[in-house]
Amino acid sequence: MTETSFDIVVIGAGPGGYVAAIRAAQLGLKVAVVEREHLGGICLNWGCIPTKALLRSAEVLRLAQHAEAFGVEVPKVSFNLAQMVKRSRAISAQLQTGVKHLLKKNKVTVFEGQGKLAGKGKVTLTQDGKTTTLSARHIILATGARARVMPGLEADGKRVWSYKEAMVPETMPKSLLVVGSGAIGIEFASFYRTLGAEVTVVEVMDRILPVEDAEISALARKAFEKQGIKVLTSATVKGLKRGADQVTATVESAGKTSEISVDRVIVAVGISANTENLGLEGTKVRLEKGHVVVNQWLETDEPGVYAIGDLTLPPWLAHKASHEAVICVEKIAGVPGVHALDARKIPGCTYSHPQIASIGLTEEKAKAGGIAIKVGRFPFQANGKAIAMGETEGLVKTIFDAKTGELLGAHMIGAEVTEMIQGYAIAQTLETTEAELMSTVFPHPTLSEMMHESVLDAYGRVIHY
């Protein structure tokens, strides 16, 4: 007989849900996780991981195309799109198997099917028309989100793609329109441009990557346009005319309307939380802009019901979901010293070429908050390792409170900055000031030296620029 009574039931097994289940099991709680589709969620199966696999293929291609500059002769460079996709899907499958193993290793009971709140401490599990009721003292909602659908821009899987279709193309489009210039849109624009497609990016805001520091956004635009990507900002796609072989987009910008014809369109305009069919009706769970409202401990207004990850308010990042999972479960278990999450200290990364990474306040937000600041900058072109790598395009920017020396924010564009940003994340967690950062020894030759030099520059002490 299948056990149906647990301490915690988690609905959803993405980077929030499966981490919550594993951590709860580690703490000695009896745990079940309910997943209707695939372990690992969107991130592992159709998001973070498979896109990085594709972008790695693009990076290898780009290096091969420029091999001669490094004294390496590659007679003919070409790519196999099907093999790129196959490798990407295989990596996702491997990691999904890994998640299954971890849940089993930690003795988490996994149920396949649709989970739904069914009264206090109850979850109904529906699979193949059969319904089972699970009981739990605590229920964690971790159902994630899906691509946002804009009227008139709905994906059809053929000419108009969502992120899913964009990750498994059967043929290589010669031309592509990307609607939205957040991390997802920019990563796809970068991937397809590297493979040779003519790419146009349309962004409704006045700059691309609008959540990033304005200076970094401007450098990113310059880099992308240098690669041949056409960027239209303060622009709106008013409609799509779908033909047999092409899509014609009507774009409005600065009061003028124009048409752009392309082979494919990728719509990347945000996400919508998966709140449907969760049984929220009749509960005290509140929604704000379609997302579940929680307090600092991830509790909803309904006693015993919690929510984590993309289901809640932004930022919508896999590592935020995983961290929330641990906070939520440890608070439930009564672990001492649990700290609430400070959203300002969550790093964000875009894995395009060049890469973009950031944490904390932008220069604009710091000034808008009335904070007196010191700003440091150091360019990639002045770093020995970057020159040796042939990666001289980029900048490291740091922002400090002029009165206290607190590191308020860090913003980077260039090679491997998605790996470097964690250094500043640790610094913020430790409440490090400029004094500790300046007295830290950075190894030479490394890209990380630019992190040191940027701090020095903020205080008029930069050495190498």
PDB file of all heavy atoms in Angstrom, residues 96-115:
ATOM      1  N   GLN A  96      18.470  14.958 -15.495  1.00  0.00           N
ATOM      2  CA  GLN A  96      17.168  14.525 -14.973  1.00  0.00           C
ATOM      3  C   GLN A  96      17.305  13.190 -14.252  1.00  0.00           C
ATOM      4  O   GLN A  96      16.717  12.987 -13.180  1.00  0.00           O
ATOM      5  CB  GLN A  96      16.153  14.399 -16.117  1.00  0.00           C
ATOM      6  CG  GLN A  96      14.748  14.095 -15.618  1.00  0.00           C
ATOM      7  CD  GLN A  96      13.764  13.864 -16.740  1.00  0.00           C
ATOM      8  OE1 GLN A  96      13.115  12.819 -16.790  1.00  0.00           O
ATOM      9  NE2 GLN A  96      13.629  14.815 -17.641  1.00  0.00           N
ATOM     10  N   THR A  97      18.096  12.301 -14.827  1.00  0.00           N
ATOM     11  CA  THR A  97      18.364  11.018 -14.171  1.00  0.00           C
ATOM     12  C   THR A  97      19.073  11.244 -12.841  1.00  0.00           C
ATOM     13  O   THR A  97      18.811  10.558 -11.850  1.00  0.00           O
ATOM     14  CB  THR A  97      19.234  10.127 -15.084  1.00  0.00           C
ATOM     15  OG1 THR A  97      18.530   9.884 -16.306  1.00  0.00           O
ATOM     16  CG2 THR A  97      19.552   8.800 -14.413  1.00  0.00           C
ATOM     17  N   GLY A  98      19.965  12.240 -12.821  1.00  0.00           N
ATOM     18  CA  GLY A  98      20.670  12.574 -11.590  1.00  0.00           C
ATOM     19  C   GLY A  98      19.737  13.055 -10.494  1.00  0.00           C
ATOM     20  O   GLY A  98      19.887  12.676  -9.321  1.00  0.00           O
ATOM     21  N   VAL A  99      18.756  13.883 -10.854  1.00  0.00           N
ATOM     22  CA  VAL A  99      17.776  14.370  -9.875  1.00  0.00           C
ATOM     23  C   VAL A  99      16.959  13.195  -9.331  1.00  0.00           C
ATOM     24  O   VAL A  99      16.704  13.103  -8.121  1.00  0.00           O
ATOM     25  CB  VAL A  99      16.853  15.424 -10.505  1.00  0.00           C
ATOM     26  CG1 VAL A  99      15.701  15.761  -9.563  1.00  0.00           C
ATOM     27  CG2 VAL A  99      17.640  16.688 -10.826  1.00  0.00           C
ATOM     28  N   LYS A 100      16.561  12.299 -10.208  1.00  0.00           N
ATOM     29  CA  LYS A 100      15.802  11.110  -9.786  1.00  0.00           C
ATOM     30  C   LYS A 100      16.599  10.297  -8.782  1.00  0.00           C
ATOM     31  O   LYS A 100      16.070   9.836  -7.758  1.00  0.00           O
ATOM     32  CB  LYS A 100      15.458  10.261 -11.011  1.00  0.00           C
ATOM     33  CG  LYS A 100      14.602   9.043 -10.708  1.00  0.00           C
ATOM     34  CD  LYS A 100      14.245   8.306 -11.995  1.00  0.00           C
ATOM     35  CE  LYS A 100      13.354   7.098 -11.704  1.00  0.00           C
ATOM     36  NZ  LYS A 100      13.012   6.367 -12.964  1.00  0.00           N
ATOM     37  N   HIS A 101      17.894  10.148  -9.068  1.00  0.00           N
ATOM     38  CA  HIS A 101      18.773   9.398  -8.160  1.00  0.00           C
ATOM     39  C   HIS A 101      18.887  10.095  -6.805  1.00  0.00           C
ATOM     40  O   HIS A 101      18.837   9.432  -5.753  1.00  0.00           O
ATOM     41  CB  HIS A 101      20.157   9.259  -8.793  1.00  0.00           C
ATOM     42  CG  HIS A 101      21.214   8.788  -7.844  1.00  0.00           C
ATOM     43  ND1 HIS A 101      21.293   7.482  -7.388  1.00  0.00           N
ATOM     44  CD2 HIS A 101      22.233   9.462  -7.226  1.00  0.00           C
ATOM     45  CE1 HIS A 101      22.297   7.368  -6.548  1.00  0.00           C
ATOM     46  NE2 HIS A 101      22.894   8.543  -6.428  1.00  0.00           N
ATOM     47  N   LEU A 102      19.043  11.418  -6.812  1.00  0.00           N
ATOM     48  CA  LEU A 102      19.192  12.160  -5.561  1.00  0.00           C
ATOM     49  C   LEU A 102      17.933  12.054  -4.694  1.00  0.00           C
ATOM     50  O   LEU A 102      18.019  11.919  -3.470  1.00  0.00           O
ATOM     51  CB  LEU A 102      19.494  13.626  -5.866  1.00  0.00           C
ATOM     52  CG  LEU A 102      20.893  13.924  -6.424  1.00  0.00           C
ATOM     53  CD1 LEU A 102      20.982  15.371  -6.874  1.00  0.00           C
ATOM     54  CD2 LEU A 102      21.952  13.618  -5.375  1.00  0.00           C
ATOM     55  N   LEU A 103      16.771  12.132  -5.327  1.00  0.00           N
ATOM     56  CA  LEU A 103      15.520  12.006  -4.569  1.00  0.00           C
ATOM     57  C   LEU A 103      15.391  10.608  -3.958  1.00  0.00           C
ATOM     58  O   LEU A 103      15.005  10.452  -2.793  1.00  0.00           O
ATOM     59  CB  LEU A 103      14.328  12.312  -5.479  1.00  0.00           C
ATOM     60  CG  LEU A 103      14.190  13.775  -5.923  1.00  0.00           C
ATOM     61  CD1 LEU A 103      13.154  13.911  -7.025  1.00  0.00           C
ATOM     62  CD2 LEU A 103      13.821  14.663  -4.741  1.00  0.00           C
ATOM     63  N   LYS A 104      15.758   9.607  -4.738  1.00  0.00           N
ATOM     64  CA  LYS A 104      15.707   8.233  -4.230  1.00  0.00           C
ATOM     65  C   LYS A 104      16.716   8.028  -3.104  1.00  0.00           C
ATOM     66  O   LYS A 104      16.414   7.406  -2.079  1.00  0.00           O
ATOM     67  CB  LYS A 104      15.985   7.258  -5.376  1.00  0.00           C
ATOM     68  CG  LYS A 104      15.895   5.799  -4.969  1.00  0.00           C
ATOM     69  CD  LYS A 104      16.141   4.875  -6.172  1.00  0.00           C
ATOM     70  CE  LYS A 104      16.045   3.408  -5.749  1.00  0.00           C
ATOM     71  NZ  LYS A 104      16.288   2.514  -6.927  1.00  0.00           N
ATOM     72  N   LYS A 105      17.931   8.568  -3.298  1.00  0.00           N
ATOM     73  CA  LYS A 105      18.996   8.462  -2.298  1.00  0.00           C
ATOM     74  C   LYS A 105      18.560   9.061  -0.967  1.00  0.00           C
ATOM     75  O   LYS A 105      18.902   8.544   0.109  1.00  0.00           O
ATOM     76  CB  LYS A 105      20.239   9.163  -2.812  1.00  0.00           C
ATOM     77  CG  LYS A 105      21.376   9.282  -1.818  1.00  0.00           C
ATOM     78  CD  LYS A 105      22.506  10.139  -2.394  1.00  0.00           C
ATOM     79  CE  LYS A 105      23.582  10.399  -1.366  1.00  0.00           C
ATOM     80  NZ  LYS A 105      24.641  11.294  -1.902  1.00  0.00           N
ATOM     81  N   ASN A 106      17.796  10.165  -1.027  1.00  0.00           N
ATOM     82  CA  ASN A 106      17.348  10.838   0.190  1.00  0.00           C
ATOM     83  C   ASN A 106      15.981  10.356   0.679  1.00  0.00           C
ATOM     84  O   ASN A 106      15.375  10.973   1.555  1.00  0.00           O
ATOM     85  CB  ASN A 106      17.327  12.353  -0.048  1.00  0.00           C
ATOM     86  CG  ASN A 106      18.714  12.947  -0.069  1.00  0.00           C
ATOM     87  OD1 ASN A 106      19.295  13.215   0.976  1.00  0.00           O
ATOM     88  ND2 ASN A 106      19.270  13.145  -1.264  1.00  0.00           N
ATOM     89  N   LYS A 107      15.506   9.272   0.056  1.00  0.00           N
ATOM     90  CA  LYS A 107      14.256   8.619   0.474  1.00  0.00           C
ATOM     91  C   LYS A 107      13.046   9.552   0.372  1.00  0.00           C
ATOM     92  O   LYS A 107      12.152   9.553   1.232  1.00  0.00           O
ATOM     93  CB  LYS A 107      14.389   8.058   1.895  1.00  0.00           C
ATOM     94  CG  LYS A 107      15.451   6.965   2.013  1.00  0.00           C
ATOM     95  CD  LYS A 107      15.549   6.435   3.430  1.00  0.00           C
ATOM     96  CE  LYS A 107      16.479   5.249   3.519  1.00  0.00           C
ATOM     97  NZ  LYS A 107      17.837   5.504   3.009  1.00  0.00           N
ATOM     98  N   VAL A 108      13.033  10.346  -0.692  1.00  0.00           N
ATOM     99  CA  VAL A 108      11.876  11.198  -0.986  1.00  0.00           C
ATOM    100  C   VAL A 108      10.909  10.399  -1.853  1.00  0.00           C
ATOM    101  O   VAL A 108      11.307   9.811  -2.864  1.00  0.00           O
ATOM    102  CB  VAL A 108      12.296  12.482  -1.739  1.00  0.00           C
ATOM    103  CG1 VAL A 108      11.072  13.280  -2.173  1.00  0.00           C
ATOM    104  CG2 VAL A 108      13.216  13.328  -0.864  1.00  0.00           C
ATOM    105  N   THR A 109       9.651  10.358  -1.471  1.00  0.00           N
ATOM    106  CA  THR A 109       8.645   9.660  -2.266  1.00  0.00           C
ATOM    107  C   THR A 109       8.214  10.549  -3.431  1.00  0.00           C
ATOM    108  O   THR A 109       7.831  11.702  -3.224  1.00  0.00           O
ATOM    109  CB  THR A 109       7.413   9.303  -1.421  1.00  0.00           C
ATOM    110  OG1 THR A 109       7.830   8.513  -0.300  1.00  0.00           O
ATOM    111  CG2 THR A 109       6.400   8.518  -2.236  1.00  0.00           C
ATOM    112  N   VAL A 110       8.314  10.031  -4.642  1.00  0.00           N
ATOM    113  CA  VAL A 110       7.957  10.802  -5.832  1.00  0.00           C
ATOM    114  C   VAL A 110       6.647  10.286  -6.416  1.00  0.00           C
ATOM    115  O   VAL A 110       6.490   9.088  -6.667  1.00  0.00           O
ATOM    116  CB  VAL A 110       9.072  10.712  -6.900  1.00  0.00           C
ATOM    117  CG1 VAL A 110       8.664  11.481  -8.161  1.00  0.00           C
ATOM    118  CG2 VAL A 110      10.385  11.253  -6.341  1.00  0.00           C
ATOM    119  N   PHE A 111       5.711  11.212  -6.614  1.00  0.00           N
ATOM    120  CA  PHE A 111       4.442  10.888  -7.259  1.00  0.00           C
ATOM    121  C   PHE A 111       4.369  11.593  -8.602  1.00  0.00           C
ATOM    122  O   PHE A 111       4.647  12.794  -8.694  1.00  0.00           O
ATOM    123  CB  PHE A 111       3.252  11.336  -6.401  1.00  0.00           C
ATOM    124  CG  PHE A 111       3.089  10.575  -5.113  1.00  0.00           C
ATOM    125  CD1 PHE A 111       3.588  11.098  -3.920  1.00  0.00           C
ATOM    126  CD2 PHE A 111       2.434   9.362  -5.082  1.00  0.00           C
ATOM    127  CE1 PHE A 111       3.430  10.422  -2.719  1.00  0.00           C
ATOM    128  CE2 PHE A 111       2.281   8.666  -3.887  1.00  0.00           C
ATOM    129  CZ  PHE A 111       2.775   9.201  -2.705  1.00  0.00           C
ATOM    130  N   GLU A 112       4.004  10.882  -9.631  1.00  0.00           N
ATOM    131  CA  GLU A 112       3.807  11.487 -10.937  1.00  0.00           C
ATOM    132  C   GLU A 112       2.329  11.826 -11.113  1.00  0.00           C
ATOM    133  O   GLU A 112       1.468  10.985 -10.887  1.00  0.00           O
ATOM    134  CB  GLU A 112       4.255  10.533 -12.044  1.00  0.00           C
ATOM    135  CG  GLU A 112       5.740  10.232 -12.029  1.00  0.00           C
ATOM    136  CD  GLU A 112       6.149   9.299 -13.152  1.00  0.00           C
ATOM    137  OE1 GLU A 112       5.262   8.899 -13.938  1.00  0.00           O
ATOM    138  OE2 GLU A 112       7.334   8.972 -13.243  1.00  0.00           O
ATOM    139  N   GLY A 113       2.060  13.072 -11.508  1.00  0.00           N
ATOM    140  CA  GLY A 113       0.677  13.485 -11.701  1.00  0.00           C
ATOM    141  C   GLY A 113       0.465  14.944 -11.351  1.00  0.00           C
ATOM    142  O   GLY A 113       1.411  15.669 -11.034  1.00  0.00           O
ATOM    143  N   GLN A 114      -0.774  15.376 -11.412  1.00  0.00           N
ATOM    144  CA  GLN A 114      -1.146  16.758 -11.127  1.00  0.00           C
ATOM    145  C   GLN A 114      -1.510  16.901  -9.648  1.00  0.00           C
ATOM    146  O   GLN A 114      -2.398  16.220  -9.140  1.00  0.00           O
ATOM    147  CB  GLN A 114      -2.355  17.165 -11.986  1.00  0.00           C
ATOM    148  CG  GLN A 114      -2.945  18.528 -11.674  1.00  0.00           C
ATOM    149  CD  GLN A 114      -2.052  19.675 -12.116  1.00  0.00           C
ATOM    150  OE1 GLN A 114      -1.557  19.679 -13.229  1.00  0.00           O
ATOM    151  NE2 GLN A 114      -1.851  20.649 -11.244  1.00  0.00           N
ATOM    152  N   GLY A 115      -0.788  17.777  -8.949  1.00  0.00           N
ATOM    153  CA  GLY A 115      -1.081  18.019  -7.542  1.00  0.00           C
ATOM    154  C   GLY A 115      -1.955  19.246  -7.365  1.00  0.00           C
ATOM    155  O   GLY A 115      -1.825  20.223  -8.118  1.00  0.00           O
TER     156      GLY A 115
END
